[in-house]
């Protein structure tokens, strides 16, 4: 079993490092690395370039060494419309041995909400203890918690930046197909890297929470079609926004109201046919919000637009969720983002807090129900932590931390071939 005390100690160590050295920045990635070449490779997942990278928020191993050697990568993937694009990411090759069954496994970690500005790309933040923008809003690479947790167990990790984070263009936030492609092709790119300790056809898992939970879930159900050659063993999807309509309604007026701006920008970037209809509905204040969040990380967005109502951004005074629902093109595009209509080929763990005030519990439960009905093996776990200040986001973050031991054990069990029947 996973030692939950050890997980907590690792978590505390990561956070302590960030607290002690929080004003520092180091090892910033060169801007040229993120420039997309004129011609892209023909194959999805093919490497374009790579270079050594660093990870400053890290937990030393028992022998005093560092948890992994890091490599920044750029690789070819596909956007929501299937067109080729370049995205970046980071591969971590563990220094700890893999003591489980078979080849060393690889987990593709899908990140939670970071923001929409290029400075928010995790491949940049992994090399910085703390990023502080011009408005003094701090941004810590919190995915270092999950990454270190896996590395210390000898599991290799690849983390995609998704479309438009770091590279040119707008980050297509919570876009089901774009994010799934990036997560899947990150595996292909990592397995093609020379000199690593993973096999080119080794076991694979997907991991993510919140935005990342949705991306991991989307990757799991798209893998049989998009990347059938991958040896997928399991998926952890925590608080996945499987139904964007429900999620938009929930976060309106919360600390993450501005994330709705990320979603609007994402829809217009991926599907420009939406722009004319939306332009008629957004007022000047809404246009200002959309322009500003497009270049912000999540902490700055929360500081600037937290607890505001999206009704103040529309000409009609209706919430943006209502406006989008009555625009046929928007309703169709949001419905296209629904996760749960395809079937993952490997077991999945879906976690959700019953008091989650950002990604509502009901739609995560529906995802598990939909997958079960399609014949998938699903473990659905409710986190019953009591409500702690509605709309603050605490009820969303707490289940992520409390669910870490179960998620870790679930993933290790899948790599070790342990049987699971789920709880459908």
């Amino acid at each position: 079993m996973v030692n939950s005390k050890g997980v907590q100690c690792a978590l505390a160590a990561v956070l302590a490092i960030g607290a002690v050295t929080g004003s520092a920045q180091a090892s910033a990635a060169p801007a040229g690395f993120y420039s997309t070449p004129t011609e892209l490779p023909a194959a999805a997942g093919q490497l374009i370039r790579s270079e050594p990278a660093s990870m400053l928020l890290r937990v030393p191993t028992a022998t005093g060494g560092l948890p992994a050697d890091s490599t920044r990568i750029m690789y070819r993937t596909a956007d929501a419309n299937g067109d080729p694009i370049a995205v970046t990411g980071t591969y971590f090759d563990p220094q700890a041995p893999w003591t489980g069954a078979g080849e060393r496994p690889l987990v593709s970690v899908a990140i939670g909400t970071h923001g929409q500005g290029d400075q928010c790309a995790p491949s940049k933040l992994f090399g910085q203890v703390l990023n502080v923008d011009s408005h003094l809003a701090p941004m810590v690479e919190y995915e270092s918690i999950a990454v270190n947790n896996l590395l210390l167990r000898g599991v290799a990790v690849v983390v995609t930046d998704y479309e438009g984070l770091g590279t040119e263009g707008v980050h297509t936030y919570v876009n089901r197909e774009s994010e799934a492609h990036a997560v899947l092709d990150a595996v292909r790119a990592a397995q093609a890297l020379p000199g690593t300790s993973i096999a080119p056809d080794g076991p694979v898992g997907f991991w993510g929470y919140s935005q990342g939970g949705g991306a991991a879930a989307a990757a799991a159900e798209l893998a049989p079609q998009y990347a059938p050659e991958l040896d997928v063993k399991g998926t952890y999807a925590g608080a996945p926004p499987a139904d964007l309509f429900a999620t938009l309604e929930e976060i309106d007026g919360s600390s993450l109201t501005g994330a709705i701006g990320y979603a609007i920008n994402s829809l217009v970037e991926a599907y420009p046919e939406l722009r004319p209809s939306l332009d008629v509905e957004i007022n000047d204040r809404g246009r200002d919000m959309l322009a500003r969040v497009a270049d912000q990380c999540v902490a700055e967005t929360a500081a600037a637009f937290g607890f505001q109502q999206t009704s103040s951004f529309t000409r009609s005074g209706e919430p943006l969720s209502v406006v989008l629902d009555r625009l046929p093109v928007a309703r169709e595009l949001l419905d296209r983002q629904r996760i749960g209509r395809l079937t993952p080929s490997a077991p999945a763990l879906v976690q959700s807090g019953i008091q989650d005030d950002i990604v509502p519990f009901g739609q995560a439960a529906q995802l598990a129900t939909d997958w079960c009905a399609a014949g998938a093996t699903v473990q659905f776990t409710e986190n019953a932590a009591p409500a702690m200040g509605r709309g603050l986001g605490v009820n969303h973050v707490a289940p992520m931390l409390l669910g870490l031991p179960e998620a870790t054990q679930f993933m290790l069990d899948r790599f070790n071939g342990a049987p699971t029947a789920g709880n459908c």
Side-chain angles (χ1 to χ4, degrees), residues 310-330:
T310 61
S311 56
S312 68
F313 303 138
T314 65
R315 293 181 184 275
S316 65
E318 299 168 299
L320 275 169
S321 59
V322 173
V323 170
L324 293 170
D325 191 38
R326 65 173 170 76
L327 295 177
V329 63

Side-chain angles (χ1 to χ4, degrees), residues 1-331:
M1 295 291 292
V2 170
N3 185 327
S4 60
K5 183 176 180 181
V7 171
Q8 293 167 1
C9 289
L11 169 62
V14 169
L15 296 180
I17 294 170
V20 171
T21 59
S23 62
Q25 292 192 24
S27 187
F33 186 88
Y34 294 86
S35 298
T36 302
T38 304
E39 295 186 10
L40 296 178
Q46 189 169 341
L47 276 168
I48 297 171
R49 61 175 69 108
S50 64
E51 66 178 13
S54 65
M55 182 182 186
L56 295 189
L57 288 178
R58 54 196 178 189
V59 180
T61 64
T63 59
L66 301 176
D69 297 315
S70 309
T71 304
R72 186 176 293 112
I73 58 176
M74 175 180 278
Y75 59 96
R76 189 262 206 206
T77 186
D79 65 14
N81 300 301
D83 295 325
I85 57 172
V87 301
T88 47
T90 312
Y91 171 71
F92 299 95
D93 203 52
Q95 294 183 6
W98 167 245
T99 58
E103 299 277 359
R104 186 193 295 276
L106 170 67
V107 168
S108 189
V109 171
I111 61 166
T113 300
H114 277 50
Q116 213 155 32
D118 284 342
Q119 74 277 17
C120 318
S123 65
K124 296 182 178 181
L125 292 174
F126 279 126
Q128 303 173 357
V129 175
L130 186 71
N131 179 287
V132 180
D133 63 25
S134 58
H135 296 88
L136 301 181
M139 182 66 189
V140 176
E141 184 42 80
Y142 60 83
E143 293 293 357
S144 296
I145 298 169
V147 172
N148 275 283
N149 176 56
L150 293 166
L151 293 175
L152 291 172
R153 289 167 173 80
V155 177
V157 174
V158 65
V159 184
T160 180
D161 291 338
Y162 298 137
E163 178 183 358
L165 275 184
T167 49
E168 295 91 344
V170 176
H171 167 44
T172 46
Y173 180 72
V174 294
N175 184 290
R176 178 180 67 91
E177 292 169 288
S178 175
E179 291 185 347
H181 296 161
V183 170
L184 292 164
D185 284 325
V187 172
R188 288 167 162 162
Q191 291 181 334
L193 269 174
T196 71
S197 61
I198 59 173
D201 57 354
V204 173
F206 307 123
W207 176 296
Y209 190 87
S210 193
Q211 178 191 4
E221 65 175 28
L222 276 176
Q225 300 173 6
Y226 185 78
E229 81 281 6
L230 298 184
D231 184 15
V232 181
K233 298 297 187 182
T235 297
Y236 162 58
D243 181 347
L244 288 190
F245 271 117
T247 305
L248 292 176
E249 291 176 346
E250 183 71 26
I251 67 174
D252 200 339
S254 75
S255 60
L256 274 183
T257 296
I260 297 176
Y262 299 156
I264 299 294
N265 287 336
S266 168
L267 284 169
V268 173
E269 173 73 6
Y271 317 108
E273 63 268 29
L274 174 61
R275 185 181 297 277
S277 299
L278 198 59
D279 277 348
V280 176
E281 302 287 346
I282 303 296
N283 62 22
D284 288 343
R285 191 165 185 272
R287 296 180 203 283
D288 177 68
M289 180 272 293
L290 293 174
R292 289 170 62 187
V293 301
D295 194 39
Q296 291 178 345
C297 295
V298 64
E300 183 178 5
T301 299
F305 299 104
F307 307 107
Q308 298 185 29
Q309 301 290 331
T310 61
S311 56
S312 68
F313 303 138
T314 65
R315 293 181 184 275
S316 65
E318 299 168 299
L320 275 169
S321 59
V322 173
V323 170
L324 293 170
D325 191 38
R326 65 173 170 76
L327 295 177
V329 63
R331 187 167 60 248

Side-chain angles (χ1 to χ4, degrees), residues 400-415:
M400 176 184 74
L401 302 176
L402 295 172
L404 187 60
E406 181 193 27
T408 305
Q409 189 63 57
F410 176 87
M411 193 63 70
L412 293 176
D413 284 347
R414 303 291 73 75
F415 291 139

